[in-house]
Amino acid sequence: MNFLYKKIFFYFSFFIFLSFKSYSAEVNAETFVLKLTNEAKLIFNDKSLNLESRLKKLNDISQNYLDLDALAGYTLGDYRDKATSAEKDNFNKLFREYFIKNMSSKLNDFADQELKILDSKKINENNIIVSTKIFSKKDAQEINVDWRIYSKESKLLARDLVVEGLSLARTQREEFASIIASRGFAGVINALETFNKSH
Amino acid sequence: MKKTLLAFTFLVLFNSKTIYASNLPDCSESINRSFFAFNMAVDKYFIKPIAEIYNVLPVEARSSINNALLNIETTISVPNQILQGNFGEAVISISRFVINSTIGILGLFDPATALGLEKTNREDFGQTLAVWGIDHGCYVVAPFLGPTSPRDLVGRIVGIYGDYFYMVTTGDKTVLGENLGDTVYWVTEGTDLINFRSQNIKSSENLEKNSLDLYSTYKSLYLQRRENLIKNSKRAENQYGASEDDWKKIK
């Protein structure tokens, strides 16, 4: 009987060990996504904040959680290698403002929704995909959202959101590519400046 | 026969490249942009208002209509699952269709999922052509139909002849000795359009408000969606491979 208990205990421990081994690399990324979304929800649910304070708080979150310079670089596509460092600096600054205003508007509609972590997976040395589901009781809708988390020297930063298989970074990159093709890089700068002034 | 099978396998295995919107040329960008503006106007004045009214229906009613429409869509998916060699999926789809059409009362309910038969991938003939190795060709915006490509347009037109639902409504085939008639087909298609639009009101408003070039945003979203459907991407399993080279350049 004692032998049987030992055997059960051994298999149970082995199973637990394997479970932790499989997922330990991604637990931090999952916690990171939960913290990021909780902090963002606090901002969107705080009705006392005016637009300016909300944008300021979102900017603070973006410094801690988002890799906006990397995202800006990605969205520039092939032009990234052609742009001068002054052009890149100006673009990064305008892109940051555009992104925060854009997200402020996009995420406002999702402030009352619940997020559930489904799983996470390390896809290469520095990138982890955290898969989540967002539930909206009001619309009876479930939206699959994957978070691309970049890990470097134990620091985690979000680089992309993939909503129902559609990558926000890729969409943005293709939008910029279209503008560059028709109006050049100046066209992108002009479009960003116009958007930032009017929002 | 062996040669055909070999060629088919080769096409299935190696047709998985990513087509970026910027790499896919427009058949004619100026005409496309004109049709895009026309479609946006049709949406603004006709489709979106109806979708907003539709959204007044209780969640349960919309959910049941959505189930029934997905059930009807099975009649397009099954022949294409077979043509793509996904025989296992075809068997599951047929089983789901039989269960949901009977016990699920014409598909309004989804007892098949409760019985452990998970939803299969949606397939159409445009996807089948892609799996067989045929490229998009170029990007087209068709009036009323929206973003498409010559391949997907051909797939759409040819595909209806393999669609059992089309055949028993607009075609000359019968189900239980009856042809359901054109009206059933067009009412179903109209409801499908409104149902789809009603699920995307918020996200399309966001796009309109925040896009710097709405036309290219829709082009990108269309291509990403088709790519995912063709690869049958489910979440992070196989979706991220192709885009990794671009991310690796960013430090």
Side-chain angles (χ1 to χ4, degrees), chain A residues 103-148:
Chain A
M103 279 297 121
S104 168
S105 160
K106 267 185 184 145
L107 297 179
N108 198 25
D109 292 330
F110 299 101
D112 63 332
Q113 301 180 351
E114 292 300 321
L115 177 132
K116 185 185 170 193
I117 304 275
L118 298 179
D119 55 51
S120 54
K121 191 177 184 179
K122 193 166 188 169
I123 54 167
N124 53 42
E125 196 190 341
N126 298 107
N127 288 283
I128 300 163
I129 300 296
V130 178
S131 298
T132 65
K133 204 178 260 291
I134 294 176
F135 298 90
S136 164
K137 282 181 190 166
K138 199 172 78 182
D139 302 323
Q141 273 186 12
E142 292 180 0
I143 304 167
N144 293 314
V145 180
D146 289 349
W147 306 68
R148 174 184 287 273

Side-chain angles (χ1 to χ4, degrees), chain A residues 19-35:
Chain A
S19 310
F20 276 112
K21 197 172 162 43
S22 308
Y23 294 104
S24 58
E26 294 80 27
V27 168
N28 288 341
E30 293 182 7
T31 312
F32 169 85
V33 169
L34 279 177
K35 273 178 73 180

Side-chain angles (χ1 to χ4, degrees), chain A residues 31-60:
Chain A
T31 312
F32 169 85
V33 169
L34 279 177
K35 273 178 73 180
L36 163 59
T37 50
N38 284 340
E39 284 193 30
K41 267 176 90 168
L42 283 177
I43 296 172
F44 286 111
N45 289 328
D46 187 348
K47 303 296 173 206
S48 67
L49 293 175
N50 60 23
L51 182 64
E52 202 179 326
S53 324
R54 178 190 280 190
L55 290 175
K56 192 185 170 307
K57 279 185 178 281
L58 282 174
N59 192 41
D60 293 343

